[in-house]
Amino acid sequence: MKNPSQSKSTLSVHAGSPGDTQFGGLVTPLFPAAAYDYHGGVRYPRYFNTPNHRAAAEKIAALENTEDALVFSSGMAAIFTAIMAQVKAGDHLVFQNDLYGGTHHAVVNELNRYGIAYTMVDASDLKNVENAIRKNTRAIYVETPSNPLLKITDLAGVVRIAKKYKLNTLIDNTFASPVNQNPADLGIDIILHSGTKYIGGHSDLMCGVVAASKKFIDPIRQSALHFGGNADANTCWLVERSLKTIVLRVRQQNENALQLATWLSANKKIAKVFYPGLKNHPGYAIAKKQMPGGFGGMLSFELKGDADKFIAKLELIKPAVSLGGVESTINQPHKTSHAKLTPAERKKVGISDKLVRLSVGIEDLEDIVRDIDSAI
Ligand SMILES: *Cc1c(COP(=O)(O)O)cnc(C)c1O
């Protein structure tokens, strides 16, 4: 849990890191045991309560300013477990329409089979969210900044609506990372991450996160015990280790992305730039308020020329799915994260074939700019 007198940089290093209490080593040892003495309580990896799991979860909870957290084996395991823990047959959910492709696909293909109805709305106008609420609605699910168009949803506004109708609120906070945006501070109930991205930060692990107060996390943990999906000890150890540098990494990514977005905006070969830190972005004012740490390391742009040729010419920036690593990567959402959407669904949310999405790394900005400049 957060020590209010400590800043995020200090918490990223020290919160939830017990170190080696036996020999005095500075680093939490890896405890791979899957079997524990049951006297004094049952510890078991699938119960989310083994030592490396607790260390990672406590550091995440400190950074998200929540009472507790759970670490799952993937972002989708965390997201879907959290969603299913909210509902029973006959219930209804409201989703923002521009979601991570995997979440979108899971909602469309899974929920109706269990008798759970849903409505997807453009949440950049909160009237759409309120209008979608029915008598049987249980929760509102948003993602901001969104993937891949970096749309901003007004979190304080979502919380106001949710309180009025007594609904739970969930957010996919992956793009912002806990460094830039802490939705719990604005009253959002359940915070989700693909920890594969900024939390891991080195493109070498897969995990998912649920962070919330005990009241919200207990029922999610209960469902998670049934579904499985916990991260293992090795992954949790690596998550705890990786989080010690998250503030440094994300600050550099924020700085690089803001400068790069500004440079791209002034480039005549670029048709459009999507970055919430640009003053002409429709969500700029809200982003500035709800993302006190920075606008993040993700940006998208539409080229005037051919995207395939442009990507083939890049040398430093690698074509890759996933994001949030220390290295800059680029991809085409219509071929990757949103390939499973029909062309009509993509058009509806505004994803064109000329759109490329850049995950800005921690390299020197000049090297990133030079690579893009020569490829254009
Ligand atoms: C990657 C991602 C996910 C899914 O996470 P996995 O770790 O791949 O399961 C969910 N939401 C967002 C925004 C993502 O970028």
Side-chain angles (χ1 to χ4, degrees):
M1 229 190 290
K2 188 173 173 177
N3 175 343
S5 68
Q6 291 184 342
S7 73
K8 221 171 251 185
S9 305
T10 307
L11 291 168
S12 70
V13 177
H14 294 288
S17 285
D20 171 358
T21 52
Q22 195 179 2
F23 298 109
L26 293 182
V27 173
T28 311
L30 174 59
F31 296 97
Y36 285 82
D37 182 345
Y38 54 84
H39 296 93
V42 177
R43 254 182 229 289
Y44 191 56
R46 184 164 45 76
Y47 289 14
F48 297 80
N49 63 0
T50 46
N52 294 109
H53 192 280
R54 288 308 308 157
E58 280 172 23
K59 198 184 284 292
I60 289 163
L63 291 171
E64 275 294 11
N65 201 14
T66 56
E67 281 179 338
D68 206 354
L70 303 168
V71 189
F72 287 78
S73 55
S74 71
M76 286 312 302
I79 289 168
F80 222 69
T81 303
I83 290 173
M84 294 310 273
Q86 309 305 311
V87 285
K88 59 183 186 317
D91 286 345
H92 172 260
L93 296 167
V94 176
F95 288 89
Q96 171 175 329
N97 64 6
D98 51 331
L99 294 169
Y100 170 71
T103 309
H104 187 281
H105 201 244
V107 167
V108 168
N109 287 282
E110 299 288 344
L111 292 187
N112 285 349
R113 295 196 288 129
Y114 298 97
I116 298 151
Y118 63 86
T119 309
M120 285 188 178
V121 297
D122 180 352
S124 57
D125 182 353
L126 289 178
K127 272 194 240 100
N128 298 330
V129 174
E130 187 157 9
N131 289 340
I133 293 168
R134 304 177 185 169
K135 267 208 204 93
N136 56 342
T137 303
R138 294 286 166 253
I140 304 171
Y141 182 108
V142 297
E143 182 181 319
T144 180
S146 72
N147 180 9
L149 291 170
L150 290 306
K151 285 194 191 165
I152 300 295
T153 302
D154 176 358
L155 293 177
V158 167
V159 168
R160 263 196 308 278
I161 294 171
K163 287 223 164 92
K164 184 168 158 193
Y165 296 92
K166 295 193 168 59
L167 307 176
N168 296 349
T169 45
L170 300 94
I171 181 177
D172 184 334
N173 203 32
T174 301
F175 266 36
S177 92
V179 178
N180 291 331
Q181 176 170 274
N182 291 131
D185 294 352
L186 301 166
I188 295 282
D189 300 318
I190 298 156
I191 294 119
L192 308 162
H193 284 277
S194 167
T196 316
K197 316 297 168 54
Y198 289 100
I199 285 175
H202 295 73
S203 310
D204 60 2
L205 67 82
M206 169 159 265
C207 78
V209 163
V210 175
S213 64
K214 289 207 188 311
K215 176 181 149 197
F216 287 98
I217 223 158
D218 286 345
I220 295 171
R221 185 191 288 106
Q222 203 51 51
S223 289
L225 303 189
H226 304 143
F227 296 153
N230 59 285
D232 69 3
N234 284 283
T235 298
C236 290
W237 182 86
L238 203 48
V239 168
E240 186 213 320
R241 202 284 302 261
S242 302
L243 280 170
K244 291 178 185 177
T245 56
I246 193 173
V247 175
L248 282 177
R249 286 187 276 112
V250 171
R251 274 189 193 151
Q252 175 83 6
Q253 285 160 324
N254 289 341
E255 178 66 23
N256 279 353
L258 180 59
Q259 304 273 355
L260 192 59
T262 307
W263 180 82
L264 287 166
S265 303
N267 192 308
K268 292 195 172 61
K269 290 174 184 162
I270 305 293
K272 230 178 190 177
V273 182
F274 303 88
Y275 187 67
L278 293 175
K279 293 205 171 75
N280 64 2
H281 185 288
Y284 172 77
I286 293 164
K288 200 166 160 53
K289 248 193 285 176
Q290 69 190 22
M291 302 178 77
F295 298 103
M298 298 301 301
L299 62 89
S300 300
F301 53 96
E302 271 175 26
L303 291 144
K304 287 184 184 159
D306 187 283
D308 290 296
K309 281 188 193 149
F310 165 70
I311 288 174
K313 279 196 198 146
L314 291 167
E315 285 176 1
L316 180 72
I317 303 168
K318 298 283 184 284
V321 294
S322 201
L323 59 105
V326 290
E327 58 285 280
S328 294
T329 58
I330 196 160
N331 75 39
Q332 294 157 282
H334 79 281
K335 288 189 181 179
T336 56
S337 57
H338 292 71
K340 283 185 175 146
L341 272 66
T342 64
E345 281 173 330
R346 279 200 295 271
K347 186 150 186 247
K348 206 168 157 197
V349 292
I351 299 169
S352 88
D353 291 1
K354 288 195 180 268
L355 185 77
V356 294
R357 191 198 72 186
L358 190 61
S359 170
V360 183
I362 65 168
E363 301 97 336
D364 195 284
L365 177 67
E366 277 184 33
D367 293 326
I368 300 172
V369 167
R370 196 179 309 118
D371 198 32
I372 293 176
D373 200 23
S374 57
I376 288 177

